[in-house]
Amino acid sequence: MFEPWGILVILILCPLLGGLPLIAWITYALKRKQLSQVGTGNISVSAAFYHGGKIVGILAVLSEAFKGVAAVLLTRIFFPDGSSWELLALIALVIGRYWIGKGAGTTNVVWGFVVHDPLVAIFVSFFAGITFTILQSRKIVKFGVLLLFPLFVALLHLSDIPRILAAVALAGLMGWIYTRIPDDMKLPAQEAQTESQAMLEFLRGERTMVSLDEELNAAIVGEKAATLSQIKRWGYPVPKGWVLAPIDDPEGLTEFLQPSELSPLVVRSSAIGEDSEEASAAGQYETVVNVTSSEALQEAIAQVQASYNHPSAVQYRRDRGLNDTAMAVLIQQQVQSVYSGVAFSRDPITQQGDAIIIEALPGSATQVVSGKVTPEQYRAFVVETENSYSVQLEGQGRVPQSLIKQVAYLAYRLEKRYHGTPQDIEWSYDGQTLWVLQSRPITTLLPMWTRKIAAEVIPGVIHPLTWSINRPLTCGVWGEFFTLVLGDRALGLDFAKTATLHYSRAYFNASLLGDIFLRMGLPPESLEFLTRGAKLSKPSLQSTWENLPGLGKLLKRELSLEKDFKEDYHNRFIPGLSQLAQSDIDSLEPAKLLARIDFILELLRHGTYYSILAPLSAALRQAIFRVKDKQIDHSVTPEVAALRSLSAIATDAKQVLVEFEPQQVFEQLKQTPEGEKILQAFNELLQDYGYLSEVGTDISVPTWRENPQMIQQMFVQLMQGNEPQSGAKDAINSIFASKRKRSFVQRRVDIKGRVTEVYSRLLAELRWSFVALEKIWLESGLLGQTGDIFFLNFDEVRRLIVDEDSSFIEQLDKLVQFRRSQFVQDSEIIQIPLLVYGHTPPHPLAPSELYSDQILQGIGASHGQAEGRVKVLRNLQEIPDIDRDTILVVPYTDSGWAPLLLRAGGLIAEAGGRLSHGAIVAREYGIPAVMDVRGATWILQDGQRVRIDGSRGIVELSNDLRPQ
């Protein structure tokens, strides 16, 4: 019995011992720092030294050494000294250290192995010390040790096969972990605690240069360099390159590279935060091309580094709310371009559809983004099947169409690589190879919003009041579920941004959901599933394991769903609904109605939890047990129950009225005692189910009790139907139903039905409360017409009751009329896009309007419309007064024009395309812009009034030339 108990101790206690967060506790106790939220996020000895200093680091070493020694000594209670079980205990310890404690377990293994086999430990330490002294490479030493210690174990214990196999397994496990977690030693030593810097600099070894062939950390070398290294490792052609981190001395790299006329280099910025999802920083920093000597390389590096502090760059960061960080420098072999350009994997102007936008020219790519030359424009559509793909192309020019199609497919594939996030790609072709020079998220197309799911959950056009109540309830509960699974990994996620309204319709935040999916370990194409309908693969075993604790908590919630709901049903919902039903709502004053509404919302907060979990649970169980829809009885669901009862009443009515006029059914039923009984049954049904409505989640839609016309029409239609009723069939179904009620699936479906009933009743009570409140305000003249209250949000309703703000009351009528008008406009939009981008997606293009004969045509570069007075600006030497009534007319734009665009109402440029700096900045600031309007600075005159349409690329001229 002794050995089985030892195995249990190893398998259970050792992983828990490894996962014990002693380092995190020590660091927080002494330095008030959460290691999981700083640096790489590792909870390791090196992280303790780096962020906590020498004392914290020493205590961290002692704590982890204690774990390794304890695991070995604990094993010796049950097994002989030096057995293979000691190594298995270390393996279990390391597994717990990695999965639970978020560390590699190196210190645990080192000290545990010293106790396990001191002789092997001495040999390995001796060779490791010599290797590090000679090569100054931690990477070689780290992985070399993993080869040495199993080898020495094999040499010294040749006959102990289990021990050798355990040593190999331990080495393999450590090697795998090293490839999975970031290395804290790669963090800049200068930013560590002062007393730890010298040691860390020594342990880092001499890193003469960092290349794009390595896996790079964006927090150290910037998004541009890190992204290119990732794309290169994926197998896409990226010019060979090297990176200088902000703290690195460029001397060694400049001596190594030796650029020349035959092998020129390009020096580029890779600022921390540049090319990220928060900001593109397009054109804010320097790029130096045709660097052909070491002296020129040194100057170029200094020039690029200095551009980080240019006033325009500093202002850009301030405008975007970005923190000042640092500038890394990217140095690459320069491509001898035959053709080059840029590509958007999604159209940034229409912000709808699957079009890929490509701009190209013969020569260097810098011409395209400079805004000084108008490139050729192409639109492409990629259609991919399992074994092939095709590209449909719109546009012609000097660039070969075969190359443009290749670029389109490149953009398509890179977007898929980045899980559906639209990409802005810079490319170049040297006659043989299509090179990727840059890929970054299109910041103006983020976040992405999808109607998938939302169109089913909250259909139709939605009033402000409905949305102000539904959104926090739904987002809050989803946030609770996600946080339950993710734990600490939910930090930084704003679940309040899960959903929004566009065109008065509900959209879910596909970007945020994609981030959540990735953190939860769901398939990386989950976002692609939302945006393009891609197939989902199975999640990895590692991600499932990482989320196991959270998934276990969620499973616990699911298993206790029936018990929890029954308890809340009897103790919370039934008493609450009874209390609401007994009150005379028409006699309540506004303050009492507000208290009633708050009471209902509190019940709805609990109900929303069940309204989300119950359908998920039922669907999951149905999928697991493979129960078909026709095998499930939905009679508990109120809509189904109401229709079944209505059908039964209609059947009885047909027997009373053999012949009837559809328009006179209710009058004819009143004429006989049997008919009166039918009407009484109908009215009872209406009383029982009067809380239902056409759209159950929308409180602005009248209930059956308020508007019985629809249910009356359904009753007549059922009477007109000729479907025979089969008593035998119903009996059989009831038998099967009684069996299914005992099944796992049916019980969840029944709970779902009861939840729907409770939730629908609460929403109906909420609606009736608002209607009663509106009636009071209509009588007092505060509101003008029925339905006005639904064009206010709930905070505004509360403000009117509690604060009685006179200034707000004065603006109330205008506010309601504006929202009503917008609601009507949105209601008239028939084709709503499934996927839209950004916080202000464009309104679907209206039919062509009549313009005057004086029209200038260009390229729509930033959507929206603006009307104002022209100000022609041919250079930046004299900056005029500019306001939102000013339409700037310029020859071209680069990053220097950004401060002017922020103040202007619109932009017209003679040259440039959708991807030039001016266009990108205009989109970021939400300013309409039309590019490539030839002769604009000469045709248009100061003071002339114009109207521009940045979506269609149209400039309408006016004969009004009077200056303002």
Side-chain angles (χ1 to χ4, degrees), residues 382-661:
V382 176
V383 179
E384 188 173 37
T385 61
E386 291 186 5
N387 301 317
S388 63
Y389 74 93
S390 61
V391 179
Q392 300 174 1
L393 197 61
E394 297 177 5
Q396 291 183 340
R398 292 171 290 172
V399 182
Q401 298 228 333
S402 59
L403 176 59
I404 297 299
K405 289 183 178 181
Q406 192 177 347
V407 172
Y409 190 62
L410 170 68
Y412 176 81
R413 294 301 303 172
L414 282 178
E415 181 185 290
K416 287 179 72 69
R417 277 285 192 173
Y418 284 104
H419 316 309
T421 300
Q423 295 293 303
D424 170 3
I425 300 154
E426 187 176 331
W427 57 272
S428 189
Y429 177 68
D430 63 4
Q432 293 183 329
T433 303
L434 176 60
W435 297 95
V436 179
L437 305 182
Q438 180 173 299
S439 186
R440 61 189 176 196
I442 306 173
T443 55
T444 55
L445 295 188
L446 296 176
M448 294 183 288
W449 302 95
T450 176
R451 280 283 285 162
K452 280 182 180 287
I453 306 174
E456 300 176 9
V457 176
I458 314 177
V461 191
I462 301 172
H463 289 76
L465 183 58
T466 300
W467 186 245
S468 68
I469 289 171
N470 283 7
R471 181 172 178 264
L473 287 174
T474 305
C475 293
V477 173
W478 275 115
E480 180 185 343
F481 287 138
F482 291 140
T483 303
L484 187 69
V485 176
L486 290 170
D488 290 342
R489 281 168 295 144
L491 293 173
L493 295 174
D494 186 354
F495 298 110
K497 297 179 179 178
T498 306
T500 193
L501 286 184
H502 293 308
Y503 320 116
S504 296
R505 272 83 165 185
Y507 281 82
F508 285 163
N509 189 333
S511 300
L512 177 60
L513 292 174
D515 191 4
I516 293 170
F517 292 158
L518 292 174
R519 295 191 191 196
M520 290 178 67
L522 294 175
E525 62 271 21
S526 296
L527 179 56
E528 196 59 1
F529 166 75
L530 287 175
T531 58
R532 286 189 189 264
K535 293 182 180 179
L536 290 177
S537 61
K538 293 181 179 179
S540 66
L541 183 62
Q542 178 189 348
S543 64
T544 304
W545 179 265
E546 287 176 347
N547 289 285
L548 203 55
L551 293 172
K553 293 177 183 177
L554 193 59
L555 178 61
K556 185 178 179 182
R557 295 274 189 99
E558 195 278 336
L559 293 174
S560 65
L561 173 64
E562 187 172 3
K563 171 180 167 293
D564 293 342
F565 177 71
K566 284 183 178 179
E567 183 176 336
D568 274 339
Y569 185 78
H570 293 291
N571 299 334
R572 190 190 305 270
F573 296 129
I574 292 301
L577 286 167
S578 297
Q579 178 182 334
L580 292 169
Q582 291 170 7
S583 62
D584 183 8
I585 193 171
D586 292 326
S587 65
L588 298 179
E589 59 185 17
K592 294 287 184 64
L593 285 171
L594 180 60
R596 175 188 171 90
I597 289 168
D598 285 334
F599 176 69
I600 296 171
L601 288 176
E602 183 60 29
L603 291 174
L604 278 171
R605 287 187 184 95
H606 294 278
T608 303
Y609 168 81
Y610 294 110
S611 74
I612 290 176
L613 185 57
L616 284 177
S617 173
L620 185 63
R621 291 189 173 209
Q622 185 178 353
I624 291 174
F625 293 102
R626 298 182 180 180
V627 177
K628 296 180 180 179
D629 288 336
K630 63 182 180 181
Q631 297 175 304
I632 297 175
D633 178 22
H634 292 280
S635 59
V636 177
T637 304
E639 291 89 343
V640 175
L643 290 177
R644 287 187 180 182
S645 298
L646 189 65
S647 178
I649 297 172
T651 301
D652 294 340
K654 286 171 66 176
Q655 296 175 356
V656 173
L657 295 179
V658 179
E659 296 182 0
F660 59 88
E661 290 292 331

Side-chain angles (χ1 to χ4, degrees), residues 725-739:
Q725 299 294 320
S726 172
K729 180 180 177 182
D730 290 342
I732 294 172
N733 281 342
S734 66
I735 293 173
F736 282 120
S738 64
K739 290 182 178 179

Side-chain angles (χ1 to χ4, degrees), residues 229-268:
S229 73
Q230 184 178 55
I231 292 172
K232 197 172 197 299
R233 285 181 285 108
W234 282 339
Y236 293 92
V238 174
K240 192 168 182 61
W242 301 265
V243 185
L244 280 171
I247 62 167
D248 288 347
D249 185 350
E251 184 176 351
L253 186 57
T254 54
E255 291 178 359
F256 169 78
L257 292 178
Q258 295 295 320
S260 65
E261 295 284 349
L262 296 177
S263 182
L265 300 175
V266 56
V267 181
R268 314 172 66 191

Side-chain angles (χ1 to χ4, degrees), residues 774-886:
E774 182 185 55
K775 184 179 179 181
I776 296 173
W777 286 347
L778 287 171
E779 292 175 354
S780 68
L782 187 62
L783 295 178
Q785 64 184 95
T786 302
D788 277 357
I789 196 169
F790 295 105
F791 292 102
L792 301 174
N793 62 50
F794 184 50
D795 287 340
E796 292 166 345
V797 171
R798 184 184 298 278
R799 184 176 170 188
L800 287 171
I801 297 174
V802 176
D803 297 338
E804 296 183 354
D805 188 339
S806 58
S807 61
F808 178 62
I809 292 174
E810 290 176 3
Q811 300 296 322
L812 187 60
D813 184 60
K814 290 183 179 178
L815 176 65
V816 169
Q817 293 308 316
F818 172 77
R819 289 179 179 171
R820 185 183 285 275
S821 173
Q822 186 65 52
F823 184 85
V824 171
Q825 290 180 31
D826 290 341
S827 301
E828 293 173 352
I829 303 173
I830 298 175
Q831 294 187 349
I832 299 298
L834 184 65
L835 187 71
V836 297
Y837 306 91
H839 292 290
T840 54
H843 194 281
L845 294 178
S848 299
E849 298 178 25
L850 295 177
Y851 290 91
S852 67
D853 293 336
Q854 295 177 285
I855 293 177
L856 300 179
Q857 181 69 53
I859 296 172
S862 180
H863 75 81
Q865 297 178 346
E867 187 171 347
R869 299 280 175 177
V870 163
K871 181 59 188 178
V872 178
L873 208 60
R874 296 186 175 88
N875 55 59
L876 290 174
Q877 294 176 359
E878 295 182 5
I879 307 301
D881 292 333
I882 295 173
D883 57 27
R884 285 297 180 186
D885 191 51
T886 304

Side-chain angles (χ1 to χ4, degrees), residues 628-697:
K628 296 180 180 179
D629 288 336
K630 63 182 180 181
Q631 297 175 304
I632 297 175
D633 178 22
H634 292 280
S635 59
V636 177
T637 304
E639 291 89 343
V640 175
L643 290 177
R644 287 187 180 182
S645 298
L646 189 65
S647 178
I649 297 172
T651 301
D652 294 340
K654 286 171 66 176
Q655 296 175 356
V656 173
L657 295 179
V658 179
E659 296 182 0
F660 59 88
E661 290 292 331
Q663 304 298 327
Q664 303 295 324
V665 166
F666 290 90
E667 286 73 12
Q668 288 180 264
L669 287 172
K670 290 179 182 179
Q671 297 173 6
T672 63
E674 293 81 2
E676 287 286 353
K677 291 181 180 179
I678 297 295
L679 291 178
Q680 183 180 353
F682 178 85
N683 290 329
E684 288 176 357
L685 180 144
L686 195 59
Q687 185 67 27
D688 291 339
Y689 296 102
Y691 60 86
L692 295 174
S693 70
E694 186 177 350
V695 183
T697 55

